[in-house]
């Protein structure tokens, strides 16, 4: 009987592998082709003056190291990552914790919170571009009602970056809210009852019970949002096109500009590869230091 069960399990795994193999082979070949092409292209000079790629070795990488715009864009990208992920997760946790109540109308309020996430980034960018408008935007209008003269939100190099950052937090905080709400509901009520019996107040229960038990969810959420922040492009393109000047030029947008505005494909490919390597090592470091398994079985 045990032998028959073992044979059955082996046959089941074999059939599963047979069904998955075609898709896995195609995806692996596709990813390998793109990666190899990207590496080769990053070692070539390919632009408008050179209709076909010309191998130049590490020239693109040497030029990138000397490019101040690259370093500024990279630093701005990391600042954007830290601020957006922190804002989304902290605000999402706060809203989820407040809304984690079994009272009438709470489901409707949760639905309202999720609305920004349902809007595409392009539409959200256009919507907030109107909201931020200096002449007729509602934001400056309401500020004027209380005697405050609003700034040129996305037209000033002092406020443009933070204006885009706020929109990103507004749109993707609901994702953090949804994920954290699911995590809070997975915690057994018995744990909270035990904490109350031990005399723990709300704050102690939050910091010594809820947050530690949510560590797995929070680390996974931070990782997912950090990956998205490292490739932020759409909001920047719609709202500011990287301006004014280079105030909102994140590295993904700089790569796009080099590749599809200046048609320097080799240079753009080299920057893409550098961003890929940096992101990969950064996330590996984050996973190792967090001590949490973010890959569920």
């Amino acid at each position: 009987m045990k032998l028959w069960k073992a044979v059955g399990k082996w046959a089941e795994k074999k059939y599963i592998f047979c069904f998955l193999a075609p898709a896995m082979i195609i995806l692996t070949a596709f990813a390998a082709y793109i990666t190899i092409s990207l590496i080769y292209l990053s070692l070539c000079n390919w632009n408008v003056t050179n209709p076909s790629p010309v191998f130049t070795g590490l020239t693109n990488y040497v030029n990138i190291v000397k490019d101040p715009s690259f370093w500024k864009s990279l630093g701005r990208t990391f600042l954007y990552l830290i601020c957006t992920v922190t804002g989304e997760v902290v605000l999402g946790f706060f809203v989820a914790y407040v809304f984690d109540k079994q009272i009438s109308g709470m489901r409707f309020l949760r639905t309202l919170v999720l609305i920004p996430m349902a809007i595409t980034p392009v539409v959200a960018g256009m919507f907030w571009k109107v909201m931020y408008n200096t002449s007729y935007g509602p934001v400056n209008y309401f500020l004027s009602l209380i005697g405050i003269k609003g700034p040129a939100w996305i037209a000033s190099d002092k406020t443009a970056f933070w204006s885009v950052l706020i929109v990103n937090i507004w749109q993707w905080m609901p994702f953090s809210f949804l994920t954290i709400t699911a995590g809070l509901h997975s915690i057994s009520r018995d744990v909270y009852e035990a904490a109350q019996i031990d005399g723990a107040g709300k704050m102690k229960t939050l910091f010594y019970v809820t947050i530690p038990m949510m560590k797995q969810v929070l680390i996974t959420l931070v990782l997912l949002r950090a990956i998205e922040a490292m490739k932020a492009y759409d909001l920047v393109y719609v709202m500011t096109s990287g301006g004014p000047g280079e105030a909102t030029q994140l590295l993904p947008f700089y790569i796009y500009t080099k590749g599809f505005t200046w048609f320097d494909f080799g240079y753009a490919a080299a920057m893409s590869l550098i961003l890929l390597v940096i992101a990969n090592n950064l996330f590996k470091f984050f996973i190792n230091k967090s001590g949490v398994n973010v890959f569920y079985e």
Side-chain angles (χ1 to χ4, degrees), residues 48-62:
V48 178
T49 59
N50 293 311
S52 58
V54 178
F55 185 81
T56 56
L58 299 176
T59 303
N60 286 326
Y61 293 97
V62 173

Side-chain angles (χ1 to χ4, degrees), residues 92-101 180 184 202-203 206 210:
F93 188 93
F94 174 77
V95 177
Y97 186 76
V98 171
F99 281 22
D100 189 31
K101 311 290 182 184
I180 294 169
L184 289 174
K202 289 185 178 181
M203 295 305 295
L206 173 63
T210 304

Side-chain angles (χ1 to χ4, degrees), residues 162-206:
W162 303 105
S163 299
V164 175
L165 190 147
I166 289 171
V167 175
N168 183 279
I169 294 175
W170 169 82
Q171 184 175 23
W172 292 110
M173 181 278 291
F175 179 81
S176 299
F177 163 79
L178 188 64
T179 306
I180 294 169
T181 298
L184 289 174
H185 288 176
S186 68
I187 300 176
S188 174
R189 299 294 110 179
D190 297 337
V191 177
Y192 292 115
E193 291 176 3
Q196 288 179 353
I197 293 173
D198 290 339
K202 289 185 178 181
M203 295 305 295
K204 284 189 175 181
T205 302
L206 173 63

Side-chain angles (χ1 to χ4, degrees), residues 4-280:
W4 177 253
K5 286 184 178 180
V7 171
K9 289 182 179 179
W10 176 83
E12 183 180 355
K13 290 182 179 179
K14 182 179 178 182
Y15 280 116
I16 291 174
F17 176 77
C18 289
F19 282 117
L20 292 177
M24 291 174 62
I25 291 172
I26 293 173
L27 289 175
T28 302
F30 187 70
Y33 173 76
I34 291 177
T35 304
I36 293 171
S37 299
L38 180 66
I39 294 172
Y40 172 73
L41 187 58
S42 70
L43 300 172
C44 296
N45 181 18
W46 186 21
N47 50 42
V48 178
T49 59
N50 293 311
S52 58
V54 178
F55 185 81
T56 56
L58 299 176
T59 303
N60 286 326
Y61 293 97
V62 173
N63 292 334
I64 288 172
V65 172
K66 299 177 182 178
D67 185 0
S69 293
F70 168 80
W71 294 108
K72 290 178 182 178
S73 299
L74 181 62
R76 205 174 289 117
T77 302
F78 279 119
L79 178 61
Y80 184 85
L81 183 154
I82 294 169
C83 293
T84 54
V85 173
T86 302
E88 291 168 18
V89 175
V90 172
L91 188 58
F93 188 93
F94 174 77
V95 177
Y97 186 76
V98 171
F99 281 22
D100 189 31
K101 311 290 182 184
Q102 299 299 328
I103 59 177
S104 178
M106 191 56 67
R107 289 186 178 181
F108 175 72
L109 293 176
R110 289 173 184 161
T111 303
L112 290 180
V113 172
L114 296 177
I115 290 177
M117 191 176 66
I119 304 173
T120 62
V122 173
V123 174
M126 295 177 67
F127 170 76
W128 277 95
K129 193 173 182 178
V130 174
M131 294 285 288
Y132 281 140
N133 189 277
T134 309
S135 302
Y136 53 82
V139 174
N140 280 358
Y141 171 73
F142 286 116
L143 287 176
S144 67
L145 295 179
I146 56 176
I148 299 176
K149 183 180 179 181
W153 294 98
I154 57 176
S156 171
D157 57 356
K158 295 180 180 179
T159 56
F161 176 82
W162 303 105
S163 299
V164 175
L165 190 147
I166 289 171
V167 175
N168 183 279
I169 294 175
W170 169 82
Q171 184 175 23
W172 292 110
M173 181 278 291
F175 179 81
S176 299
F177 163 79
L178 188 64
T179 306
I180 294 169
T181 298
L184 289 174
H185 288 176
S186 68
I187 300 176
S188 174
R189 299 294 110 179
D190 297 337
V191 177
Y192 292 115
E193 291 176 3
Q196 288 179 353
I197 293 173
D198 290 339
K202 289 185 178 181
M203 295 305 295
K204 284 189 175 181
T205 302
L206 173 63
F207 286 102
Y208 293 101
V209 177
T210 304
I211 293 178
M213 295 193 72
M214 287 284 293
K215 186 178 180 181
Q216 177 87 18
V217 174
L218 292 175
I219 293 297
T220 305
L221 177 61
V222 168
L223 183 64
L224 291 174
R225 294 311 309 151
I227 292 173
E228 287 297 319
M230 284 292 285
K231 56 181 185 178
Y233 164 79
D234 32 28
L235 273 180
V236 174
Y237 178 80
V238 173
M239 294 184 66
T240 63
S241 296
E246 295 182 356
T248 58
Q249 182 175 268
L250 304 180
L251 188 53
F253 188 82
Y254 186 45
I255 293 171
Y256 165 83
T257 303
K258 276 290 183 180
F260 297 99
T261 301
W262 300 105
F263 300 104
D264 195 346
F265 299 114
Y267 198 89
M271 287 195 293
S272 299
L273 196 59
I274 291 173
L275 179 61
L276 176 63
V277 172
I278 291 175
N280 184 55

